[in-house]
Structure formats: C-alpha cells, structure tokens
C-alpha cells in the first residue's frame, strides 16, 4: 500500500470513529463494548477518582424547602430558609411541591422508554441546530467537546407552539402528552419559587394586597419566560472511574428543577470538595443558574456540579431549565446596585450564549466569567 493510500485509510477510520461517537453512548453500549473508548477517557487530573476531584465518599443532604410552608402561615420562616439556601449552597430540595406522583412517574417512565427505542427511531431527532424544538444528542456540547461525556439527551423547548409540537417525537406514543403535562406543572412551580426568591431579594412584597406595575412587569417576564426540558440518560459504564456523565458546569438560566431516579450521580462542589447529593423520592433538586447570579448582582451564586456514572445501573434525570424569554436581556436588578454593591456583571442574552458555546468548549463557569465586570 502506498503512503498516500495509508493516510486516506487512517483518515477514513478516524471519520468512522467520530461518526460512531456522534450516535451516542446508548448506541455504543448496544454494540456490546466492555471498555471505555479513548474518546470518553478524561485526563488523569479530571477523572472522578483523581486526588484533585476526590469526593472521599461524602454525601450531602441539601437544604430542604417545604413548599407547603412557602404557601402557608410559616412563609416568613420558609423565605429565610430559601434565601440562606440560595446564598450558601446555590442548591436546595423542594418537597410537598403539589405535583402529583402520577405526573412524576409518567414523566420518568416515558423518558426511560424513549431511550429504550431502537437507535433508528431516536436518531430521527438528531440535529446540530441548538434552537430546534426537539433535539436528540450526546455528550455536553458534542460539536466542541474534546473528550465526550457518558450521556445522551433529548431536549424539548416548552411550551411548544402548535407547529413545534408536531416536531416532537411520536414515540413513545404518550411522550408528548406526558411532557406537556409535566412541563405545565413545573412551569407553575417555577413561577411560585421565583416569586418567593424575588421577595427574598426585596424586589417584590407579597404581603400587600396588590402588586405595583413594576412588580407585575417583573412577574410577567418570568411567567412568559423560556423553558427547556432536558431528558438525560446515563447508561451503565464499564469503567466509570475514567469518565463523567457531565463535566463540572453551572446552568444557564434562572432556576433548574431536576427530577432524578433513585440512582445517585449528581455531585456539587462544596468548599472545594465534590459531594454526592442524596436523592429524595419525588422531590425536586433546584439550583441557582447563571442568570439569577447576574440578576441578583452576585448575591445568589450558581454552583459547579457534575454527574458521575456507575457500572451497575443506568440513570435517568429530567432537568427543567427556566429563564425569561430568549429575546430579553439579562442584567443586574437596578435595586440591587448601590455604592456599596456596584454593578458586577454586563448585560447578556441568549444570542451571546449561543455565540459563546459555538466558538468555545464550555467548561466550568467560563461563560459567566466572561460576563463579569472588573470591580
């Protein structure tokens, strides 16, 4: 074989490998692999067992916010707990949230069944268009990731317009109904949580009989805001010590409401150490996003988190990411800026975020860092 033919053959093999990995982890596992391909192997210092990222087996019980108390006579105490959770942890768990177990179970069940579909059915929704109403993909940002993550996902923009809904998966047959019901419930929960957070920040006052026009405007922005549903699948991994389901990152948006199954995997960074979040059945893990950090002018901070995988069980989670509309600008609230607390972040919007992730490999809180002002 000539040297030229050898180079062409090697290039074709590399392209074939790239195509294989772009099809996702589930497809890879279905082929019967027993080792983690090099495309998924992290540098030694970034692996979950390395000295720098070692969790030492620590678990953490996040602050628990009883949603029923937020709606009842103990609201003032619940608000203090909520503000403390946002300031000190950036994460909390919500119980007694009012979303029925039936709605939650249906959402988890249909999510699991989607990833059990044949690859040919799942692949119908593969696209590189980040604004597509329905997008099936893999890794974290598969167009930019140097090392892939052990994760497949289905992203759905909610609430769907009549035209967008027709682009959602038709299998399983009850997926559309389940997601519409679940997204409606989580949107309502988000609006009530963000109302409480705005009260914690002193931007609205719920004790009054009526909101001012300014308060009504703020609440309307959130009520009409964006919602992205991300259904994640983390297949069982033959060598979980070499890779991650998701790398350390913060979430774009105001709040993320996470529903997870009984399999542990979510870790947050607490005082420089990685600790595992203990799942509470039928609860929501809620975290502060980059937008809320900007809007609060740094009072509430988004927190780095990542996802571990394991060799025994696949893990399913459903993340509902909420913000104001994609067209609106995010900036620090003027009421949270003064001579003692100067403005710390520049304006940003969804287009800025898309431009950033299309040119950079998103890592840790890099996008948010790019929005900071020198103070």
């Amino acid at each position: 074989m000539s040297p030229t033919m050898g180079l062409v053959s090697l290039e074709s093999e590399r392209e074939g490998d790239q195509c294989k990995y772009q099809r996702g982890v589930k497809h890879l596992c279905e082929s019967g692999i027993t080792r983690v391909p090099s495309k998924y192997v992290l540098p030694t210092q970034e692996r979950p067992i390395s000295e720098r990222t070692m969790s030492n087996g620590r678990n953490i019980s996040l602050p628990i916010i009883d949603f029923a108390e937020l709606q009842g006579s103990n609201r003032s105490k619940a608000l203090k707990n909520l503000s403390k959770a946002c300031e000190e942890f950036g994460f909390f768990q919500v119980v007694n949230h009012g979303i029925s177990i039936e709605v939650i179970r249906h959402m988890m069940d249909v999510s699991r069944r989607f990833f059990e579909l044949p690859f040919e059915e799942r692949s119908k929704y593969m696209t590189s268009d980040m604004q597509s109403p329905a997008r099936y993909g893999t890794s974290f940002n598969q167009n930019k990731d140097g090392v892939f993550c052990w994760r497949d996902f289905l992203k759905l923009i909610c609430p769907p317009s009549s035209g967008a809904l027709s682009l959602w998966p038709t299998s399983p047959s009850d997926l559309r109904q389940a997601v519409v019901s679940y997204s409606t419930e989580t949107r309502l929960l988000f609006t009530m949580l963000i109302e409480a957070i705005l009260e914690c920040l002193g931007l609205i006052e719920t004790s009054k009989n009526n909101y001012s026009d300014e308060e009504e405007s703020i609440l309307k922005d959130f009520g009409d805001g964006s919602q992205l549903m991300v259904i994640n699948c983390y297949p069982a991994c033959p060598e979980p010590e070499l890779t991650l389901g998701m790398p350390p990152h913060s979430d774009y948006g105001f709040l993320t409401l996470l529903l997870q199954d009984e399999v542990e995997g979510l870790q947050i960074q607490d005082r420089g150490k990685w600790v595992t979040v203990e799942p509470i059945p039928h609860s929501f893990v809620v975290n502060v996003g980059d937008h809320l950090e900007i809007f609060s002018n740094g009072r509430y901070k988004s927190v780095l988190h990542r996802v571990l995988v394991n060799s025994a069980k696949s893990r399913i989670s459903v993340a509902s990411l909420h913000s104001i509309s994609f067209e609106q600008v995010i900036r620090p609230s003027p009421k949270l800026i003064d001579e003692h607390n100067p403005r710390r972040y520049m304006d940003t919007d969804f287009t800025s975020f898309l431009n950033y992730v299309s040119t950079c490999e998103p890592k840790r809180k890099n996008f948010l860092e790019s929005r900071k002002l020198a103070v």
Side-chain angles (χ1 to χ4, degrees), residues 77-115:
K77 177 184 176 183
L79 286 172
K80 288 180 181 177
N81 292 337
L82 178 61
S83 183
K84 184 178 180 181
C86 290
E87 284 190 30
E88 296 183 5
F89 285 87
F91 270 81
F92 53 91
Q93 297 207 61
V94 176
V95 298
N96 296 327
H97 43 69
I99 300 179
S100 72
I101 291 178
E102 288 74 24
V103 169
I104 287 174
R105 284 176 175 166
H106 192 192
M107 186 65 216
M108 292 300 289
D109 177 62
V110 80
S111 299
R112 191 171 286 106
R113 284 186 283 123
F114 173 81
F115 288 104

mmCIF file of all heavy atoms in Angstrom, residues 77-115:
data_model
loop_
_atom_site.group_PDB
_atom_site.id
_atom_site.type_symbol
_atom_site.label_atom_id
_atom_site.label_comp_id
_atom_site.label_asym_id
_atom_site.label_seq_id
_atom_site.Cartn_x
_atom_site.Cartn_y
_atom_site.Cartn_z
ATOM 1 N N LYS A 77 -40.628 32.279 57.706
ATOM 2 C CA LYS A 77 -39.549 31.362 58.079
ATOM 3 C C LYS A 77 -39.036 30.614 56.857
ATOM 4 O O LYS A 77 -37.823 30.448 56.667
ATOM 5 C CB LYS A 77 -40.060 30.366 59.120
ATOM 6 C CG LYS A 77 -39.023 29.327 59.530
ATOM 7 C CD LYS A 77 -39.614 28.301 60.498
ATOM 8 C CE LYS A 77 -38.600 27.215 60.823
ATOM 9 N NZ LYS A 77 -39.178 26.175 61.711
ATOM 10 N N ALA A 78 -39.959 30.172 55.993
ATOM 11 C CA ALA A 78 -39.568 29.445 54.775
ATOM 12 C C ALA A 78 -38.754 30.340 53.850
ATOM 13 O O ALA A 78 -37.807 29.877 53.201
ATOM 14 C CB ALA A 78 -40.806 28.907 54.062
ATOM 15 N N LEU A 79 -39.098 31.628 53.794
ATOM 16 C CA LEU A 79 -38.355 32.564 52.947
ATOM 17 C C LEU A 79 -36.921 32.732 53.453
ATOM 18 O O LEU A 79 -35.979 32.805 52.659
ATOM 19 C CB LEU A 79 -39.054 33.920 52.903
ATOM 20 C CG LEU A 79 -40.332 34.010 52.063
ATOM 21 C CD1 LEU A 79 -41.014 35.357 52.276
ATOM 22 C CD2 LEU A 79 -40.038 33.795 50.583
ATOM 23 N N LYS A 80 -36.745 32.792 54.767
ATOM 24 C CA LYS A 80 -35.391 32.894 55.330
ATOM 25 C C LYS A 80 -34.565 31.663 54.974
ATOM 26 O O LYS A 80 -33.390 31.765 54.627
ATOM 27 C CB LYS A 80 -35.476 33.057 56.856
ATOM 28 C CG LYS A 80 -35.987 34.421 57.304
ATOM 29 C CD LYS A 80 -36.051 34.503 58.824
ATOM 30 C CE LYS A 80 -36.593 35.854 59.272
ATOM 31 N NZ LYS A 80 -36.732 35.936 60.758
ATOM 32 N N ASN A 81 -35.195 30.479 55.070
ATOM 33 C CA ASN A 81 -34.502 29.233 54.715
ATOM 34 C C ASN A 81 -34.144 29.206 53.236
ATOM 35 O O ASN A 81 -33.058 28.744 52.857
ATOM 36 C CB ASN A 81 -35.378 28.030 55.061
ATOM 37 C CG ASN A 81 -35.558 27.844 56.553
ATOM 38 O OD1 ASN A 81 -34.734 28.310 57.349
ATOM 39 N ND2 ASN A 81 -36.615 27.165 56.954
ATOM 40 N N LEU A 82 -35.053 29.701 52.404
ATOM 41 C CA LEU A 82 -34.819 29.737 50.962
ATOM 42 C C LEU A 82 -33.672 30.680 50.620
ATOM 43 O O LEU A 82 -32.775 30.336 49.832
ATOM 44 C CB LEU A 82 -36.101 30.174 50.240
ATOM 45 C CG LEU A 82 -36.028 30.325 48.723
ATOM 46 C CD1 LEU A 82 -35.662 29.002 48.054
ATOM 47 C CD2 LEU A 82 -37.357 30.857 48.168
ATOM 48 N N SER A 83 -33.668 31.867 51.225
ATOM 49 C CA SER A 83 -32.604 32.831 50.956
ATOM 50 C C SER A 83 -31.253 32.284 51.398
ATOM 51 O O SER A 83 -30.246 32.406 50.690
ATOM 52 C CB SER A 83 -32.901 34.153 51.671
ATOM 53 O OG SER A 83 -31.921 35.115 51.357
ATOM 54 N N LYS A 84 -31.225 31.645 52.569
ATOM 55 C CA LYS A 84 -29.986 31.056 53.071
ATOM 56 C C LYS A 84 -29.480 29.958 52.143
ATOM 57 O O LYS A 84 -28.281 29.852 51.859
ATOM 58 C CB LYS A 84 -30.207 30.500 54.476
ATOM 59 C CG LYS A 84 -28.945 29.944 55.129
ATOM 60 C CD LYS A 84 -29.223 29.448 56.543
ATOM 61 C CE LYS A 84 -27.948 28.903 57.187
ATOM 62 N NZ LYS A 84 -28.204 28.384 58.555
ATOM 63 N N ALA A 85 -30.410 29.129 51.633
ATOM 64 C CA ALA A 85 -30.036 28.051 50.718
ATOM 65 C C ALA A 85 -29.433 28.610 49.434
ATOM 66 O O ALA A 85 -28.440 28.087 48.918
ATOM 67 C CB ALA A 85 -31.252 27.179 50.405
ATOM 68 N N CYS A 86 -30.033 29.683 48.909
ATOM 69 C CA CYS A 86 -29.530 30.288 47.669
ATOM 70 C C CYS A 86 -28.176 30.943 47.871
ATOM 71 O O CYS A 86 -27.322 30.912 46.981
ATOM 72 C CB CYS A 86 -30.529 31.313 47.139
ATOM 73 S SG CYS A 86 -32.059 30.613 46.481
ATOM 74 N N GLU A 87 -27.965 31.541 49.041
ATOM 75 C CA GLU A 87 -26.707 32.233 49.321
ATOM 76 C C GLU A 87 -25.575 31.266 49.645
ATOM 77 O O GLU A 87 -24.445 31.444 49.175
ATOM 78 C CB GLU A 87 -26.898 33.203 50.485
ATOM 79 C CG GLU A 87 -27.643 34.470 50.123
ATOM 80 C CD GLU A 87 -27.588 35.499 51.235
ATOM 81 O OE1 GLU A 87 -26.588 35.523 51.980
ATOM 82 O OE2 GLU A 87 -28.543 36.283 51.365
ATOM 83 N N GLU A 88 -25.857 30.247 50.456
ATOM 84 C CA GLU A 88 -24.787 29.396 50.990
ATOM 85 C C GLU A 88 -24.543 28.134 50.168
ATOM 86 O O GLU A 88 -23.426 27.608 50.168
ATOM 87 C CB GLU A 88 -25.115 29.014 52.435
ATOM 88 C CG GLU A 88 -25.153 30.211 53.373
ATOM 89 C CD GLU A 88 -25.410 29.806 54.816
ATOM 90 O OE1 GLU A 88 -25.467 28.590 55.106
ATOM 91 O OE2 GLU A 88 -25.567 30.720 55.657
ATOM 92 N N PHE A 89 -25.585 27.631 49.482
ATOM 93 C CA PHE A 89 -25.433 26.383 48.739
ATOM 94 C C PHE A 89 -25.618 26.549 47.233
ATOM 95 O O PHE A 89 -24.955 25.899 46.445
ATOM 96 C CB PHE A 89 -26.444 25.343 49.238
ATOM 97 C CG PHE A 89 -26.105 24.734 50.562
ATOM 98 C CD1 PHE A 89 -26.508 25.342 51.738
ATOM 99 C CD2 PHE A 89 -25.381 23.552 50.642
ATOM 100 C CE1 PHE A 89 -26.203 24.790 52.971
ATOM 101 C CE2 PHE A 89 -25.072 22.982 51.867
ATOM 102 C CZ PHE A 89 -25.478 23.611 53.030
ATOM 103 N N GLY A 90 -26.560 27.411 46.842
ATOM 104 C CA GLY A 90 -26.922 27.511 45.422
ATOM 105 C C GLY A 90 -27.756 26.334 44.970
ATOM 106 O O GLY A 90 -28.133 26.238 43.797
ATOM 107 N N PHE A 91 -28.051 25.418 45.896
ATOM 108 C CA PHE A 91 -28.856 24.227 45.642
ATOM 109 C C PHE A 91 -29.796 24.009 46.819
ATOM 110 O O PHE A 91 -29.456 24.306 47.963
ATOM 111 C CB PHE A 91 -27.960 22.981 45.532
ATOM 112 C CG PHE A 91 -27.473 22.664 44.143
ATOM 113 C CD1 PHE A 91 -26.381 23.335 43.617
ATOM 114 C CD2 PHE A 91 -28.094 21.694 43.374
ATOM 115 C CE1 PHE A 91 -25.909 23.037 42.355
ATOM 116 C CE2 PHE A 91 -27.630 21.389 42.111
ATOM 117 C CZ PHE A 91 -26.537 22.052 41.593
ATOM 118 N N PHE A 92 -30.978 23.454 46.549
ATOM 119 C CA PHE A 92 -31.877 23.019 47.616
ATOM 120 C C PHE A 92 -32.839 21.981 47.041
ATOM 121 O O PHE A 92 -32.937 21.802 45.825
ATOM 122 C CB PHE A 92 -32.641 24.198 48.233
ATOM 123 C CG PHE A 92 -33.381 25.071 47.254
ATOM 124 C CD1 PHE A 92 -34.709 24.822 46.911
ATOM 125 C CD2 PHE A 92 -32.750 26.172 46.666
ATOM 126 C CE1 PHE A 92 -35.395 25.640 46.015
ATOM 127 C CE2 PHE A 92 -33.431 26.993 45.767
ATOM 128 C CZ PHE A 92 -34.753 26.725 45.445
ATOM 129 N N GLN A 93 -33.514 21.259 47.939
ATOM 130 C CA GLN A 93 -34.509 20.286 47.507
ATOM 131 C C GLN A 93 -35.891 20.768 47.931
ATOM 132 O O GLN A 93 -36.060 21.258 49.055
ATOM 133 C CB GLN A 93 -34.229 18.897 48.086
ATOM 134 C CG GLN A 93 -32.897 18.323 47.603
ATOM 135 C CD GLN A 93 -32.866 16.799 47.578
ATOM 136 O OE1 GLN A 93 -33.647 16.180 46.873
ATOM 137 N NE2 GLN A 93 -31.952 16.205 48.320
ATOM 138 N N VAL A 94 -36.862 20.613 47.038
ATOM 139 C CA VAL A 94 -38.231 21.046 47.306
ATOM 140 C C VAL A 94 -39.110 19.824 47.516
ATOM 141 O O VAL A 94 -39.159 18.928 46.663
ATOM 142 C CB VAL A 94 -38.781 21.896 46.149
ATOM 143 C CG1 VAL A 94 -40.243 22.270 46.402
ATOM 144 C CG2 VAL A 94 -37.952 23.170 45.979
ATOM 145 N N VAL A 95 -39.793 19.797 48.665
ATOM 146 C CA VAL A 95 -40.746 18.735 48.967
ATOM 147 C C VAL A 95 -42.133 19.351 49.125
ATOM 148 O O VAL A 95 -42.273 20.572 49.234
ATOM 149 C CB VAL A 95 -40.344 17.971 50.252
ATOM 150 C CG1 VAL A 95 -38.991 17.299 50.080
ATOM 151 C CG2 VAL A 95 -40.312 18.903 51.466
ATOM 152 N N ASN A 96 -43.148 18.493 49.121
ATOM 153 C CA ASN A 96 -44.544 18.957 49.235
ATOM 154 C C ASN A 96 -44.851 20.029 48.192
ATOM 155 O O ASN A 96 -45.477 21.052 48.478
ATOM 156 C CB ASN A 96 -44.837 19.484 50.647
ATOM 157 C CG ASN A 96 -44.721 18.400 51.699
ATOM 158 O OD1 ASN A 96 -45.013 17.239 51.440
ATOM 159 N ND2 ASN A 96 -44.273 18.776 52.894
ATOM 160 N N HIS A 97 -44.389 19.783 46.970
ATOM 161 C CA HIS A 97 -44.495 20.772 45.892
ATOM 162 C C HIS A 97 -45.833 20.763 45.179
ATOM 163 O O HIS A 97 -46.114 21.659 44.375
ATOM 164 C CB HIS A 97 -43.380 20.535 44.861
ATOM 165 C CG HIS A 97 -43.184 19.092 44.537
ATOM 166 N ND1 HIS A 97 -44.114 18.350 43.848
ATOM 167 C CD2 HIS A 97 -42.162 18.255 44.849
ATOM 168 C CE1 HIS A 97 -43.668 17.104 43.725
ATOM 169 N NE2 HIS A 97 -42.487 17.010 44.341
ATOM 170 N N GLY A 98 -46.663 19.773 45.429
ATOM 171 C CA GLY A 98 -48.001 19.758 44.844
ATOM 172 C C GLY A 98 -48.120 19.091 43.493
ATOM 173 O O GLY A 98 -49.227 18.956 42.967
ATOM 174 N N ILE A 99 -47.010 18.686 42.880
ATOM 175 C CA ILE A 99 -47.084 17.964 41.613
ATOM 176 C C ILE A 99 -47.335 16.491 41.920
ATOM 177 O O ILE A 99 -46.602 15.884 42.714
ATOM 178 C CB ILE A 99 -45.800 18.139 40.786
ATOM 179 C CG1 ILE A 99 -45.576 19.621 40.469
ATOM 180 C CG2 ILE A 99 -45.866 17.327 39.488
ATOM 181 C CD1 ILE A 99 -44.320 19.916 39.672
ATOM 182 N N SER A 100 -48.363 15.924 41.311
ATOM 183 C CA SER A 100 -48.797 14.587 41.686
ATOM 184 C C SER A 100 -47.746 13.532 41.356
ATOM 185 O O SER A 100 -46.974 13.674 40.396
ATOM 186 C CB SER A 100 -50.111 14.235 40.982
ATOM 187 O OG SER A 100 -49.887 14.001 39.603
ATOM 188 N N ILE A 101 -47.741 12.473 42.157
ATOM 189 C CA ILE A 101 -46.828 11.355 41.924
ATOM 190 C C ILE A 101 -47.098 10.725 40.560
ATOM 191 O O ILE A 101 -46.177 10.271 39.876
ATOM 192 C CB ILE A 101 -46.966 10.314 43.056
ATOM 193 C CG1 ILE A 101 -46.427 10.895 44.372
ATOM 194 C CG2 ILE A 101 -46.223 9.031 42.710
ATOM 195 C CD1 ILE A 101 -46.568 9.977 45.559
ATOM 196 N N GLU A 102 -48.361 10.736 40.138
ATOM 197 C CA GLU A 102 -48.719 10.150 38.845
ATOM 198 C C GLU A 102 -48.042 10.894 37.699
ATOM 199 O O GLU A 102 -47.512 10.269 36.767
ATOM 200 C CB GLU A 102 -50.240 10.162 38.660
ATOM 201 C CG GLU A 102 -51.006 9.179 39.523
ATOM 202 C CD GLU A 102 -51.076 9.608 40.990
ATOM 203 O OE1 GLU A 102 -50.948 10.830 41.259
ATOM 204 O OE2 GLU A 102 -51.233 8.723 41.857
ATOM 205 N N VAL A 103 -48.055 12.231 37.758
ATOM 206 C CA VAL A 103 -47.405 13.041 36.717
ATOM 207 C C VAL A 103 -45.899 12.777 36.712
ATOM 208 O O VAL A 103 -45.281 12.624 35.651
ATOM 209 C CB VAL A 103 -47.702 14.543 36.935
ATOM 210 C CG1 VAL A 103 -46.817 15.411 36.036
ATOM 211 C CG2 VAL A 103 -49.172 14.842 36.655
ATOM 212 N N ILE A 104 -45.298 12.705 37.897
ATOM 213 C CA ILE A 104 -43.855 12.467 38.014
ATOM 214 C C ILE A 104 -43.485 11.079 37.492
ATOM 215 O O ILE A 104 -42.543 10.919 36.708
ATOM 216 C CB ILE A 104 -43.418 12.634 39.484
ATOM 217 C CG1 ILE A 104 -43.422 14.120 39.853
ATOM 218 C CG2 ILE A 104 -42.032 12.026 39.723
ATOM 219 C CD1 ILE A 104 -43.147 14.396 41.313
ATOM 220 N N ARG A 105 -44.222 10.076 37.919
ATOM 221 C CA ARG A 105 -43.933 8.711 37.480
ATOM 222 C C ARG A 105 -44.098 8.554 35.975
ATOM 223 O O ARG A 105 -43.301 7.870 35.316
ATOM 224 C CB ARG A 105 -44.845 7.732 38.223
ATOM 225 C CG ARG A 105 -44.428 7.490 39.668
ATOM 226 C CD ARG A 105 -45.415 6.583 40.373
ATOM 227 N NE ARG A 105 -44.962 6.256 41.735
ATOM 228 C CZ ARG A 105 -45.744 5.714 42.657
ATOM 229 N NH1 ARG A 105 -47.008 5.423 42.373
ATOM 230 N NH2 ARG A 105 -45.264 5.449 43.854
ATOM 231 N N HIS A 106 -45.144 9.180 35.428
ATOM 232 C CA HIS A 106 -45.367 9.095 33.975
ATOM 233 C C HIS A 106 -44.210 9.721 33.218
ATOM 234 O O HIS A 106 -43.729 9.177 32.214
ATOM 235 C CB HIS A 106 -46.682 9.784 33.620
ATOM 236 C CG HIS A 106 -47.148 9.517 32.233
ATOM 237 N ND1 HIS A 106 -48.173 10.223 31.628
ATOM 238 C CD2 HIS A 106 -46.728 8.614 31.291
ATOM 239 C CE1 HIS A 106 -48.361 9.767 30.400
ATOM 240 N NE2 HIS A 106 -47.495 8.798 30.176
ATOM 241 N N MET A 107 -43.704 10.868 33.719
ATOM 242 C CA MET A 107 -42.597 11.544 33.052
ATOM 243 C C MET A 107 -41.343 10.684 33.087
ATOM 244 O O MET A 107 -40.631 10.542 32.072
ATOM 245 C CB MET A 107 -42.334 12.890 33.741
ATOM 246 C CG MET A 107 -41.294 13.741 33.033
ATOM 247 S SD MET A 107 -41.832 14.275 31.394
ATOM 248 C CE MET A 107 -40.288 14.199 30.508
ATOM 249 N N MET A 108 -41.033 10.098 34.226
ATOM 250 C CA MET A 108 -39.846 9.249 34.333
ATOM 251 C C MET A 108 -39.991 7.994 33.477
ATOM 252 O O MET A 108 -39.036 7.560 32.814
ATOM 253 C CB MET A 108 -39.600 8.865 35.787
ATOM 254 C CG MET A 108 -39.177 10.016 36.677
ATOM 255 S SD MET A 108 -37.624 10.802 36.145
ATOM 256 C CE MET A 108 -36.443 9.528 36.575
ATOM 257 N N ASP A 109 -41.190 7.426 33.468
ATOM 258 C CA ASP A 109 -41.422 6.194 32.705
ATOM 259 C C ASP A 109 -41.282 6.433 31.204
ATOM 260 O O ASP A 109 -40.614 5.669 30.493
ATOM 261 C CB ASP A 109 -42.815 5.655 33.037
ATOM 262 C CG ASP A 109 -43.153 4.414 32.225
ATOM 263 O OD1 ASP A 109 -42.449 3.402 32.367
ATOM 264 O OD2 ASP A 109 -44.114 4.460 31.431
ATOM 265 N N VAL A 110 -41.868 7.512 30.717
ATOM 266 C CA VAL A 110 -41.814 7.771 29.274
ATOM 267 C C VAL A 110 -40.398 8.174 28.857
ATOM 268 O O VAL A 110 -39.958 7.866 27.738
ATOM 269 C CB VAL A 110 -42.855 8.842 28.876
ATOM 270 C CG1 VAL A 110 -42.372 10.262 29.176
ATOM 271 C CG2 VAL A 110 -43.236 8.717 27.408
ATOM 272 N N SER A 111 -39.657 8.817 29.761
ATOM 273 C CA SER A 111 -38.264 9.175 29.478
ATOM 274 C C SER A 111 -37.425 7.916 29.309
ATOM 275 O O SER A 111 -36.634 7.791 28.371
ATOM 276 C CB SER A 111 -37.689 10.025 30.610
ATOM 277 O OG SER A 111 -38.399 11.231 30.766
ATOM 278 N N ARG A 112 -37.616 6.969 30.215
ATOM 279 C CA ARG A 112 -36.871 5.706 30.151
ATOM 280 C C ARG A 112 -37.204 4.950 28.862
ATOM 281 O O ARG A 112 -36.318 4.417 28.181
ATOM 282 C CB ARG A 112 -37.200 4.871 31.387
ATOM 283 C CG ARG A 112 -36.313 3.655 31.579
ATOM 284 C CD ARG A 112 -36.547 3.019 32.933
ATOM 285 N NE ARG A 112 -35.967 3.810 34.026
ATOM 286 C CZ ARG A 112 -36.676 4.538 34.881
ATOM 287 N NH1 ARG A 112 -37.974 4.587 34.783
ATOM 288 N NH2 ARG A 112 -36.067 5.227 35.829
ATOM 289 N N ARG A 113 -38.490 4.940 28.512
ATOM 290 C CA ARG A 113 -38.912 4.203 27.318
ATOM 291 C C ARG A 113 -38.407 4.846 26.032
ATOM 292 O O ARG A 113 -38.158 4.163 25.042
ATOM 293 C CB ARG A 113 -40.441 4.073 27.286
ATOM 294 C CG ARG A 113 -40.965 3.014 28.269
ATOM 295 C CD ARG A 113 -42.451 2.781 28.130
ATOM 296 N NE ARG A 113 -43.241 3.835 28.741
ATOM 297 C CZ ARG A 113 -44.138 4.559 28.113
ATOM 298 N NH1 ARG A 113 -44.354 4.388 26.809
ATOM 299 N NH2 ARG A 113 -44.831 5.492 28.746
ATOM 300 N N PHE A 114 -38.229 6.181 26.032
ATOM 301 C CA PHE A 114 -37.679 6.828 24.838
ATOM 302 C C PHE A 114 -36.279 6.309 24.546
ATOM 303 O O PHE A 114 -35.940 6.002 23.406
ATOM 304 C CB PHE A 114 -37.648 8.341 24.995
ATOM 305 C CG PHE A 114 -36.943 9.034 23.855
ATOM 306 C CD1 PHE A 114 -37.595 9.274 22.658
ATOM 307 C CD2 PHE A 114 -35.603 9.417 23.972
ATOM 308 C CE1 PHE A 114 -36.934 9.883 21.591
ATOM 309 C CE2 PHE A 114 -34.942 10.026 22.909
ATOM 310 C CZ PHE A 114 -35.613 10.258 21.719
ATOM 311 N N PHE A 115 -35.452 6.210 25.580
ATOM 312 C CA PHE A 115 -34.076 5.766 25.366
ATOM 313 C C PHE A 115 -33.973 4.261 25.115
ATOM 314 O O PHE A 115 -32.915 3.778 24.702
ATOM 315 C CB PHE A 115 -33.197 6.181 26.549
ATOM 316 C CG PHE A 115 -32.931 7.657 26.601
ATOM 317 C CD1 PHE A 115 -33.597 8.468 27.510
ATOM 318 C CD2 PHE A 115 -32.040 8.249 25.719
ATOM 319 C CE1 PHE A 115 -33.380 9.841 27.546
ATOM 320 C CE2 PHE A 115 -31.812 9.619 25.741
ATOM 321 C CZ PHE A 115 -32.483 10.417 26.657
#
